[in-house]
């Protein structure tokens, strides 16, 4: 199923007040996050309002964190970036990733019967035959103003909707799509409308001061698991048990000596045995 995600189709189906009301569809692009960041540098707030969405059917150079690639064949996924202008203190940058992750969970739960959860810090995973598989990755890139406030942020969402099994990328953490998990193609327009509706509601609640962290924390499949956290620059890997998250979204890991380590960046992998 390759339904149209062009502006006319999306804008007449949207249920939001402000999110996605400024909307651009491009058949192909390098990376929606990169292009939206370039536009942010060039265009005025009036031309690029809070809630602008840039969506594509194919990315030539889709990005993950730390210069990793995000890969999806044409027309099979939701690949888009949202511009938000929160004016929040910078520690709240992770709130945006939390809100997006929760909105993806809402949308996937609305259109499928899958069991979905979050994997710290930026993945959405689904349960398949006793293991977790990655169906969505999030990439939040913020920009601080001269007072150090989070003036603008680009939140990128890559959600594997209808990628066939043979076209799933090889990845360290196994990838899956809603199609491979349910056996049914999903209607990407319906999924997008549900996702943007949920994200707007959740963002509005956060903007009025309600932290998404407790609900996000409750959905993290990472907690209670033995983990190894790597990727924090030259820091040695942290081994231990993930026991919780801080209000700002850092991972709290109890190490083998019983001390709590606070993990800011890095990749967490589940340790077996
Ligand atoms: C992420 O990074 O998971 C963030 C991905 C964000 C993608 C969106 S798409 C729209 C917007 N524009 C962009 O350019 N990016 C955003 P990370 O946690 O670093 O995971 C990247 C890793 O996921 C890769 O190294 C692969 O192992 C794996 N991967 C790549 N493509 C995948 C896919 N379609 N499904 C599952 N895993 C994938």
């Amino acid at each position: 199923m390759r339904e149209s995600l062009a502006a006319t189709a999306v804008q007449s189906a949207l249920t939001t007040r402000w999110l996605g009301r400024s909307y651009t569809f491009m058949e192909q692009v390098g990376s929606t996050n990169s292009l939206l960041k370039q536009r942010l540098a060039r265009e005025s707030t009036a031309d690029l309002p809070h809630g602008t969405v840039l969506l594509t059917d194919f990315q030539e150079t889709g990005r993950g964190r730390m210069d990793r690639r995000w890969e999806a064949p044409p027309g099979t996924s939701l690949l888009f970036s949202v511009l938000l202008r929160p004016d929040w203190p910078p520690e709240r940058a992770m709130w945006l990733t939390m809100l997006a992750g929760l909105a993806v969970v809402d949308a996937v739960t609305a259109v499928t019967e899958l069991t979905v959860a979050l994997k710290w810090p930026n993945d959405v995973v689904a349960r398949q035959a006793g293991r977790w598989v990655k169906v969505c990755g999030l990439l939040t890139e913020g920009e601080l103003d001269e007072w150090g406030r989070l003036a603008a942020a680009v939140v990128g969402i890559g959600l594997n909707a209808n990628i066939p099994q043979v076209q799933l990328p090889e990845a360290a953490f196994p990838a899956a799509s809603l199609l491979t998990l349910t056996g049914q193609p999903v209607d990407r327009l319906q999924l997008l409308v549900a996702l943007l509706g949920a994200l707007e509601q959740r963002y509005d609640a956060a903007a009025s001061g309600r932290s998404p962290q407790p609900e996000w924390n409750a959905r993290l499949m990472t907690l209670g698991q033995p983990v190894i956290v790597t990727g924090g620059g030259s820091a040695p890997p942290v081994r231990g048990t993930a026991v919780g998250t801080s209000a700002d979204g850092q991972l709290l890991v109890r190490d083998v000596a019983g001390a709590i380590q606070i993990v800011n960046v890095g990749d967490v992998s589940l340790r077996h045995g």
Side-chain angles (χ1 to χ4, degrees), residues 12-216:
S12 57
L14 277 181
T15 58
T16 52
R17 277 186 305 113
W18 53 267
L19 183 55
R21 291 297 164 188
S22 160
Y23 179 92
T24 310
F25 170 78
M26 298 178 78
E27 232 157 72
Q28 182 164 339
V29 72
S31 146
T32 57
N33 262 44
S34 300
L35 183 57
L36 197 51
K37 284 199 318 184
Q38 282 164 23
R39 288 184 57 189
L40 181 62
R42 283 197 311 260
E43 295 177 29
S44 68
T45 305
D47 290 336
L48 216 58
H50 175 66
T52 297
V53 170
L54 174 63
L55 183 142
T56 191
D57 255 347
F58 182 62
Q59 295 184 122
E60 293 133 27
T61 50
R63 295 190 291 113
R65 292 171 308 143
M66 297 172 258
D67 290 329
R68 292 191 289 230
R69 292 291 306 271
W70 187 260
E71 296 181 81
T76 61
S77 291
L78 288 182
L79 302 167
F80 65 101
S81 300
V82 179
L83 175 74
L84 296 165
R85 298 183 179 275
D87 189 27
W88 290 348
E91 336 49 281
R92 288 200 185 165
M94 189 66 189
W95 279 26
L96 299 175
T97 306
M98 295 179 193
L99 294 167
L102 288 167
V104 171
V105 170
D106 293 339
V108 172
T109 308
V111 304
T112 72
E113 292 183 351
L114 293 169
T115 301
V116 275
L118 300 168
K119 175 172 171 282
W120 186 90
N122 66 316
D123 295 342
V124 183
V125 293
R127 197 79 178 149
Q128 181 185 41
R131 63 172 193 166
W132 292 103
V133 289
K134 177 166 172 175
V135 294
C136 172
L138 306 166
L139 180 65
T140 301
E141 300 183 287
E143 210 165 85
L144 303 183
D145 66 16
E146 57 195 294
W147 299 281
R149 307 267 300 170
L150 185 62
V154 170
V155 181
I157 301 180
L159 174 54
N160 300 337
N162 295 327
I163 306 183
Q165 187 72 43
V166 292
Q167 290 186 296
L168 284 170
E170 282 288 322
F173 195 89
S177 71
L178 304 185
L179 169 67
T180 64
L181 290 165
T182 63
Q184 303 286 329
V186 292
D187 181 334
R188 291 184 306 154
L189 178 59
Q190 191 193 357
L191 189 64
L192 177 67
V193 166
L195 204 169
L196 293 179
L199 183 55
E200 180 177 279
Q201 275 188 14
R202 289 184 174 278
Y203 183 91
D204 284 344
S208 67
R210 198 177 114 202
S211 170
Q213 189 269 345
E215 199 182 341
W216 174 77

